[in-house]
């Protein structure tokens, strides 16, 4: 009898690239949870998030980041946020806490996450991203769900780099778009 | 074209999907005595103004909100942008 075992694999195979002052790296240790609630439940959900994770339900387009920066909540819609954290932080206790505060779905397998950094990162992103990413406009506390070359994406700033999330179903096409943009950077 | 989203600021029109006349918010009461005539008008009859037009746009590649955009069809100038949920509430709807 064949003993087949399934093991998780990153959507982009742990992709890494350094070119022309730009570093692109797939984040393979990120977990994503979607939380949704009714408008009337926001206050109690907020209390639950505050006590369990030290974050709040952010406004649309904003992030809430825990004091130690280990948990980030992305305000994507008025009734939906994404909680992004490190795989090592996910415990049964945390899952129970999330499930208790709002409608919670595990979305980690649905999203590929790329981090782009380096002095020329803006040159890559200005070819692809329709959002104004100027440091004075798009700060650490902003997030945007948008489309890049017609592909769905989420972007936020993480210190000196940008994090791009895209559905795994089209992640290879998204990566190809990023690679093509990098070729235009001197 | 840029649309000044009430919550997110200026966003590229490519992020949005256009639906049509904002009168689609006002779905007739199916139990009303004149429901057949009201639905005929609701589904098939549209004004086609050369000038100010209120229309529904969906922020599909964004926060998934419905907007009522008031746009001049002659100049494409956008005069105002409102959340469709706010417009419906102003009309007494429970959304």
């Amino acid at each position: 009898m064949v003993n087949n075992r399934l093991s998780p694999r990153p959507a982009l195979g742990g992709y890494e690239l350094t070119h022309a002052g730009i570093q692109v790296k797939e984040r393979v240790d990120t977990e994503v949870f979607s939380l949704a609630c009714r408008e009337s439940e926001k206050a109690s959900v907020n209390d639950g998030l505050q006590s369990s994770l030290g974050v709040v339900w952010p406004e649309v387009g904003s992030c809430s980041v825990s004091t130690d920066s280990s948990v980030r909540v992305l305000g994507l819609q008025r009734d939906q946020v994404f909680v992004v954290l490190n795989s090592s932080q996910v415990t049964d206790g945390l899952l129970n806490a999330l499930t208790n505060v709002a409608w919670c779905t595990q979305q980690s397998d649905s999203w590929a996450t790329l981090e782009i950094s380096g002095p020329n990162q803006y040159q890559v992103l200005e070819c692809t991203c329709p959002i104004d990413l100027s440091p004075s406009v798009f700060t650490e506390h902003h997030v945007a769900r948008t489309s890049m070359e017609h592909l769905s994406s989420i972007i936020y700033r993480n210190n000196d780099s940008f994090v791009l999330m895209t559905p795994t179903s089209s992640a290879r096409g998204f990566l190809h778009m990023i690679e093509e943009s990098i070729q235009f950077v001197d | 074209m840029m649309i000044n989203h009430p919550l997110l600021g200026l966003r590229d029109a490519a992020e949005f999907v256009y639906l049509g006349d904002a009168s689609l918010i006002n779905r007739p009461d199916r139990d009303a005595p004149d429901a057949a005539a009201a639905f005929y008008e609701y589904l098939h009859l549209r004004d086609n103004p050369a000038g100010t037009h209120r229309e529904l746009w969906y922020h599909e590649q964004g926060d998934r909100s419905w907007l009522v955009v008031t746009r001049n069809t002659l100049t494409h100038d956008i005069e105002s942008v409102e959340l469709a949920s706010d417009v419906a509430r102003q009309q007494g709807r429970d959304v």
Side-chain angles (χ1 to χ4, degrees):
Chain A
M1 181 177 170
V2 179
N3 186 18
N4 288 325
R5 296 185 64 186
L6 298 176
S7 57
R9 196 171 58 174
L12 297 170
Y15 181 87
E16 281 188 56
L17 172 73
T18 300
H19 176 81
I22 300 156
Q23 290 83 46
V24 182
K25 185 175 184 181
E26 182 184 11
R27 276 188 168 187
V28 297
D29 57 353
T30 303
E31 298 285 337
V32 182
F33 295 89
S34 166
L35 295 183
C37 76
R38 294 189 182 93
E39 192 68 33
S40 58
E41 299 168 337
K42 284 262 180 78
S44 63
V45 171
N46 218 17
D47 290 344
L49 284 174
Q50 185 83 61
S51 59
S52 59
L53 293 171
V55 290
V56 297
W57 186 285
E59 295 293 320
V60 180
S62 300
C63 293
S64 173
V65 186
S66 62
T67 312
D68 62 358
S69 300
S70 65
V71 181
R72 181 182 292 265
V73 186
L74 313 177
L76 302 177
Q77 299 174 210
R78 287 212 289 190
D79 54 3
Q80 186 196 39
V81 298
F82 276 5
V83 178
V84 179
L85 35 72
N86 195 285
S87 306
S88 61
Q89 295 173 276
V90 179
T91 61
D92 288 344
L94 178 96
L95 291 175
N96 285 336
L98 290 175
T99 307
N100 286 336
V101 297
W103 295 314
C104 176
T105 53
Q106 162 68 281
Q107 300 234 343
S108 305
D109 289 344
S110 304
W111 295 89
T113 305
L114 288 170
E115 185 150 14
I116 181 165
S117 58
N120 291 332
Q121 59 181 335
Y122 285 98
Q123 290 183 48
V124 177
L125 292 170
E126 69 187 9
C127 295
T128 60
C129 180
I131 304 293
D132 183 354
L133 300 175
S134 311
S136 59
V137 177
F138 195 83
T139 69
E140 178 91 16
H141 297 286
H142 286 91
V143 61
R145 187 177 222 164
T146 183
S147 67
M148 299 188 197
E149 298 293 337
H150 307 289
L151 294 170
S152 178
S153 52
I154 295 169
I155 182 168
Y156 61 88
R157 188 187 286 275
N158 181 38
N159 297 321
D160 295 329
S161 62
F162 285 98
V163 178
L164 309 174
M165 296 170 61
T166 193
T168 49
S169 55
S170 53
R172 295 220 168 260
F174 187 86
L175 178 61
H176 176 70
M177 176 264 293
I178 294 290
E179 288 175 325
E180 286 292 301
S181 301
I182 288 174
Q183 299 307 314
F184 290 104
V185 178
D186 296 327
Chain B
M1 190 166 76
M2 303 292 283
I3 294 178
N4 195 7
H5 191 294
L7 302 176
L8 300 171
L10 286 172
R11 300 295 284 260
D12 196 303
E15 294 182 356
F16 297 82
V17 174
Y18 174 81
L19 179 69
D21 196 308
S23 65
L24 288 169
I25 290 179
N26 305 311
R27 189 179 180 84
D29 177 3
R30 67 178 181 178
D31 295 324
D34 63 342
F39 268 100
Y40 172 75
E41 183 163 340
Y42 175 77
L43 289 172
H44 301 297
L45 303 184
R46 297 280 182 275
D47 293 334
N48 188 23
T52 300
H53 188 225
R54 280 163 60 82
E55 49 204 26
L56 284 169
W57 290 71
Y58 179 56
H59 198 193
E60 184 177 39
Q61 297 284 5
D63 73 336
R64 314 288 163 86
S65 59
W66 283 97
L67 304 179
V68 174
V69 176
T70 305
R71 181 177 64 93
N72 189 309
T73 58
L74 295 175
T75 63
H76 294 306
D77 285 342
I78 292 177
E79 297 166 13
S80 70
V81 184
E82 305 157 272
L83 290 171
S85 55
D86 289 348
V87 172
R89 280 194 197 97
Q90 287 161 15
Q91 295 173 356
R93 294 262 304 278
D94 180 22
V95 293

Coordinates of all heavy atoms in Angstrom, one line a residue, chain A residues 41-97:
Chain A
E41 N -22.9 45.0 15.5 CA -22.0 44.2 16.3 C -20.6 44.7 16.5 O -19.8 44.1 17.2 CB -21.9 42.8 15.8 CG -23.3 42.0 15.7 CD -23.2 40.8 14.8 OE1 -22.3 40.6 14.0 OE2 -24.1 39.9 15.0
K42 N -20.3 45.8 15.8 CA -18.9 46.4 15.7 C -18.3 46.6 17.1 O -17.2 46.3 17.4 CB -18.9 47.7 15.0 CG -19.0 47.5 13.5 CD -17.6 47.6 12.8 CE -17.7 47.4 11.3 NZ -18.1 48.6 10.7
A43 N -19.1 47.2 18.0 CA -18.6 47.5 19.3 C -18.1 46.3 20.1 O -17.0 46.3 20.7 CB -19.6 48.3 20.1
S44 N -18.9 45.2 20.1 CA -18.5 44.0 20.8 C -17.4 43.3 20.2 O -16.5 42.8 20.8 CB -19.8 43.1 21.0 OG -20.2 42.7 19.8
V45 N -17.4 43.3 18.8 CA -16.3 42.7 18.1 C -15.0 43.5 18.4 O -13.9 42.9 18.6 CB -16.5 42.8 16.6 CG1 -15.3 42.4 15.8 CG2 -17.7 41.9 16.2
N46 N -15.1 44.8 18.5 CA -13.9 45.6 18.8 C -13.4 45.3 20.2 O -12.1 45.1 20.3 CB -14.4 47.1 18.8 CG -13.3 48.0 18.2 OD1 -12.4 47.5 17.5 ND2 -13.4 49.3 18.5
D47 N -14.3 45.1 21.1 CA -13.8 44.7 22.5 C -13.1 43.4 22.5 O -12.1 43.2 23.1 CB -15.0 44.6 23.4 CG -15.6 46.0 23.7 OD1 -14.9 47.0 23.4 OD2 -16.8 46.1 24.2
G48 N -13.7 42.4 21.7 CA -13.1 41.1 21.6 C -11.7 41.1 21.0 O -10.8 40.4 21.4
L49 N -11.5 41.9 19.9 CA -10.2 42.0 19.2 C -9.2 42.7 20.2 O -8.1 42.3 20.2 CB -10.4 42.9 18.0 CG -11.0 42.2 16.7 CD1 -11.2 43.2 15.6 CD2 -10.1 41.0 16.3
Q50 N -9.7 43.7 20.9 CA -8.8 44.4 21.8 C -8.3 43.5 22.9 O -7.1 43.4 23.2 CB -9.6 45.6 22.4 CG -8.7 46.5 23.3 CD -8.0 47.5 22.5 OE1 -8.6 48.3 21.8 NE2 -6.7 47.5 22.6
S51 N -9.2 42.7 23.5 CA -8.7 41.8 24.6 C -8.0 40.6 24.1 O -7.1 40.1 24.8 CB -10.0 41.4 25.4 OG -10.9 40.7 24.6
S52 N -8.3 40.1 22.9 CA -7.6 38.8 22.5 C -6.3 39.1 21.7 O -5.3 38.3 21.8 CB -8.5 38.0 21.6 OG -8.9 38.7 20.5
L53 N -6.3 40.2 20.9 CA -5.1 40.4 20.1 C -4.4 41.8 20.3 O -3.4 42.0 19.7 CB -5.5 40.3 18.6 CG -5.9 38.9 18.1 CD1 -6.5 38.9 16.7 CD2 -4.8 37.9 18.2
G54 N -5.1 42.6 21.0 CA -4.5 44.0 21.2 C -4.6 44.9 20.0 O -3.8 45.8 19.8
V55 N -5.7 44.6 19.2 CA -5.9 45.4 18.0 C -7.4 45.9 18.0 O -8.2 45.4 18.8 CB -5.6 44.7 16.7 CG1 -4.1 44.4 16.5 CG2 -6.4 43.3 16.7
V56 N -7.7 46.8 17.1 CA -9.1 47.2 17.0 C -9.6 47.0 15.6 O -8.8 46.7 14.7 CB -9.3 48.7 17.4 CG1 -8.9 48.9 18.8 CG2 -8.5 49.6 16.4
W57 N -10.9 47.1 15.4 CA -11.5 47.0 14.0 C -11.2 48.3 13.3 O -11.7 49.4 13.7 CB -13.0 46.8 14.1 CG -13.7 46.5 12.8 CD1 -14.0 47.4 11.9 CD2 -14.2 45.3 12.4 NE1 -14.6 46.8 10.8 CE2 -14.8 45.5 11.1 CE3 -14.2 44.0 12.9 CZ2 -15.3 44.5 10.3 CZ3 -14.8 42.9 12.1 CH2 -15.3 43.2 10.9
P58 N -10.4 48.3 12.3 CA -10.0 49.6 11.6 C -11.0 50.1 10.7 O -11.9 49.4 10.2 CB -8.7 49.2 10.9 CG -8.9 47.8 10.6 CD -9.7 47.2 11.6
E59 N -10.9 51.4 10.4 CA -11.8 52.0 9.3 C -11.3 51.4 8.0 O -10.2 50.9 7.8 CB -11.6 53.5 9.3 CG -12.1 54.2 10.5 CD -13.6 54.1 10.7 OE1 -14.3 54.2 9.7 OE2 -14.0 53.9 11.8
V60 N -12.2 51.5 7.0 CA -11.9 51.0 5.6 C -10.6 51.8 5.1 O -10.6 53.0 5.2 CB -13.0 51.2 4.6 CG1 -12.7 50.7 3.3 CG2 -14.3 50.5 5.1
G61 N -9.7 51.1 4.6 CA -8.5 51.7 4.1 C -7.4 51.9 5.1 O -6.3 52.4 4.8
S62 N -7.7 51.5 6.4 CA -6.7 51.7 7.5 C -6.3 50.3 8.0 O -7.0 49.3 7.9 CB -7.2 52.5 8.6 OG -7.6 53.8 8.1
C63 N -5.1 50.3 8.8 CA -4.7 49.1 9.5 C -4.7 49.4 10.9 O -4.5 50.5 11.4 CB -3.2 48.8 9.1 SG -3.0 48.3 7.4
S64 N -4.9 48.3 11.7 CA -4.6 48.4 13.1 C -3.5 47.4 13.4 O -3.6 46.2 13.0 CB -5.9 48.0 13.9 OG -5.6 47.9 15.3
V65 N -2.5 47.9 14.1 CA -1.3 47.1 14.3 C -1.1 46.9 15.8 O -1.2 47.9 16.6 CB 0.0 47.7 13.7 CG1 1.2 46.7 13.8 CG2 -0.3 48.0 12.2
S66 N -0.8 45.7 16.3 CA -0.6 45.5 17.7 C 0.7 46.2 18.1 O 1.6 46.5 17.3 CB -0.5 44.0 18.0 OG 0.6 43.4 17.3
T67 N 0.9 46.4 19.4 CA 2.0 47.1 19.9 C 3.4 46.5 19.5 O 4.3 47.2 19.2 CB 2.0 47.1 21.5 OG1 0.7 47.5 21.9 CG2 3.0 48.1 22.0
D68 N 3.4 45.1 19.5 CA 4.7 44.5 19.1 C 4.7 44.2 17.6 O 5.6 43.5 17.1 CB 4.9 43.2 19.9 CG 3.7 42.2 19.6 OD1 2.8 42.5 18.8 OD2 3.8 41.1 20.1
S69 N 3.8 44.8 16.8 CA 3.7 44.7 15.4 C 3.5 43.2 14.9 O 3.7 43.0 13.7 CB 5.0 45.2 14.7 OG 5.1 46.6 15.1
S70 N 3.2 42.3 15.7 CA 3.0 40.9 15.3 C 1.7 40.6 14.7 O 1.5 39.6 13.9 CB 3.3 40.0 16.5 OG 2.3 40.1 17.4
V71 N 0.7 41.5 14.9 CA -0.7 41.3 14.4 C -1.1 42.5 13.7 O -0.9 43.6 14.2 CB -1.7 41.0 15.5 CG1 -3.1 40.7 14.9 CG2 -1.3 39.8 16.3
R72 N -1.6 42.3 12.4 CA -2.1 43.5 11.7 C -3.5 43.2 11.2 O -3.7 42.1 10.6 CB -1.1 43.7 10.5 CG -1.5 44.9 9.6 CD -0.6 45.0 8.4 NE 0.7 45.4 8.9 CZ 1.2 46.7 8.9 NH1 0.4 47.7 8.5 NH2 2.4 46.9 9.3
V73 N -4.4 44.1 11.4 CA -5.8 44.0 10.9 C -5.9 44.9 9.7 O -5.7 46.2 9.9 CB -6.8 44.3 12.0 CG1 -8.2 44.0 11.5 CG2 -6.5 43.5 13.2
L74 N -6.3 44.4 8.6 CA -6.5 45.2 7.4 C -8.0 45.6 7.2 O -8.8 44.7 7.1 CB -6.0 44.4 6.1 CG -4.7 43.7 6.2 CD1 -4.4 42.9 5.0 CD2 -3.6 44.7 6.5
G75 N -8.3 46.9 7.2 CA -9.7 47.3 7.0 C -10.0 47.3 5.5 O -9.7 48.3 4.8
L76 N -10.6 46.3 5.0 CA -10.9 46.1 3.6 C -12.3 46.6 3.2 O -12.5 47.1 2.1 CB -10.7 44.7 3.2 CG -9.3 44.1 3.5 CD1 -9.2 42.6 3.1 CD2 -8.2 44.9 2.7
Q77 N -13.3 46.3 4.1 CA -14.6 46.7 3.8 C -15.2 47.2 5.1 O -14.6 46.9 6.2 CB -15.5 45.5 3.3 CG -15.0 44.9 2.0 CD -15.7 43.7 1.6 OE1 -15.2 42.8 1.0 NE2 -17.0 43.6 2.0
R78 N -16.4 47.8 5.0 CA -17.0 48.3 6.3 C -17.4 47.1 7.2 O -17.4 47.2 8.4 CB -18.2 49.1 6.0 CG -17.8 50.5 5.5 CD -18.8 51.6 5.9 NE -20.1 51.4 5.2 CZ -21.0 52.4 5.3 NH1 -20.8 53.5 6.0 NH2 -22.1 52.2 4.6
D79 N -17.7 45.9 6.5 CA -18.1 44.8 7.3 C -17.2 43.6 7.3 O -17.5 42.5 7.6 CB -19.5 44.3 6.8 CG -19.5 44.0 5.3 OD1 -18.5 44.2 4.7 OD2 -20.6 43.7 4.8
Q80 N -15.9 43.9 6.8 CA -15.0 42.8 6.7 C -13.5 43.3 6.9 O -13.2 44.3 6.3 CB -15.1 42.0 5.3 CG -14.2 40.8 5.3 CD -13.9 40.3 3.9 OE1 -13.8 41.1 2.9 NE2 -13.9 39.0 3.7
V81 N -12.8 42.5 7.7 CA -11.3 42.8 7.8 C -10.6 41.5 7.7 O -11.1 40.4 7.8 CB -11.0 43.5 9.2 CG1 -11.7 44.8 9.4 CG2 -11.4 42.5 10.3
F82 N -9.3 41.7 7.4 CA -8.4 40.5 7.4 C -7.4 40.7 8.6 O -6.9 41.8 8.8 CB -7.5 40.5 6.1 CG -8.2 39.8 4.9 CD1 -9.5 39.4 5.0 CD2 -7.5 39.6 3.7 CE1 -10.1 38.8 3.9 CE2 -8.1 39.0 2.7 CZ -9.4 38.6 2.7
V83 N -7.2 39.6 9.3 CA -6.2 39.5 10.4 C -5.0 38.8 9.8 O -5.1 37.7 9.4 CB -6.8 38.8 11.6 CG1 -5.7 38.8 12.7 CG2 -8.0 39.5 12.1
V84 N -3.9 39.5 9.8 CA -2.7 38.9 9.3 C -1.7 38.7 10.4 O -1.4 39.7 11.1 CB -2.0 39.8 8.2 CG1 -0.7 39.2 7.6 CG2 -3.0 40.0 7.0
L85 N -1.2 37.5 10.6 CA -0.2 37.2 11.6 C 0.7 36.1 11.2 O 0.6 35.5 10.2 CB -0.9 37.0 13.0 CG -2.2 36.2 13.0 CD1 -2.0 34.7 12.6 CD2 -2.9 36.3 14.3
N86 N 1.7 35.8 12.1 CA 2.7 34.8 11.8 C 2.1 33.4 12.1 O 1.4 33.3 13.1 CB 4.0 35.1 12.6 CG 5.1 34.3 12.1 OD1 5.2 33.1 12.3 ND2 6.0 35.0 11.3
S87 N 2.5 32.5 11.3 CA 2.0 31.1 11.5 C 2.3 30.6 13.0 O 1.5 29.9 13.6 CB 2.7 30.1 10.6 OG 2.6 30.6 9.3
S88 N 3.4 31.0 13.5 CA 3.8 30.5 14.9 C 2.8 31.1 15.9 O 2.8 30.5 17.1 CB 5.2 30.9 15.2 OG 5.3 32.3 15.2
Q89 N 2.1 32.1 15.6 CA 1.1 32.7 16.6 C -0.2 32.0 16.6 O -1.0 32.2 17.5 CB 0.9 34.2 16.3 CG 2.1 35.0 16.4 CD 1.8 36.4 15.9 OE1 1.9 36.7 14.7 NE2 1.4 37.3 16.8
V90 N -0.5 31.1 15.6 CA -1.8 30.5 15.5 C -1.9 29.3 16.5 O -1.2 28.3 16.3 CB -2.1 30.0 14.1 CG1 -3.4 29.4 14.0 CG2 -2.0 31.2 13.1
T91 N -2.7 29.5 17.4 CA -3.0 28.4 18.4 C -4.5 28.1 18.5 O -5.3 28.9 17.9 CB -2.5 28.8 19.8 OG1 -3.3 30.0 20.2 CG2 -1.0 29.1 19.8
D92 N -4.9 27.0 19.1 CA -6.3 26.8 19.3 C -7.0 27.9 20.0 O -8.1 28.3 19.7 CB -6.5 25.4 20.0 CG -6.1 24.2 19.2 OD1 -6.1 24.4 17.9 OD2 -5.9 23.1 19.7
G93 N -6.2 28.4 21.0 CA -6.8 29.5 21.8 C -7.1 30.8 20.9 O -8.1 31.4 21.0
L94 N -6.2 31.1 20.0 CA -6.4 32.2 19.1 C -7.5 32.0 18.2 O -8.4 32.8 18.0 CB -5.1 32.5 18.3 CG -5.3 33.6 17.4 CD1 -4.8 34.9 18.0 CD2 -4.6 33.4 16.0
L95 N -7.6 30.7 17.6 CA -8.7 30.4 16.7 C -10.0 30.5 17.4 O -11.0 31.1 16.9 CB -8.5 29.0 16.1 CG -7.3 28.8 15.2 CD1 -7.2 27.4 14.8 CD2 -7.5 29.7 13.9
N96 N -10.1 30.1 18.7 CA -11.3 30.2 19.4 C -11.7 31.7 19.7 O -12.8 32.1 19.5 CB -11.2 29.5 20.8 CG -11.3 28.0 20.6 OD1 -11.8 27.5 19.7 ND2 -10.7 27.3 21.6
A97 N -10.6 32.4 20.0 CA -10.9 33.9 20.2 C -11.4 34.5 19.0 O -12.4 35.3 19.0 CB -9.6 34.6 20.7

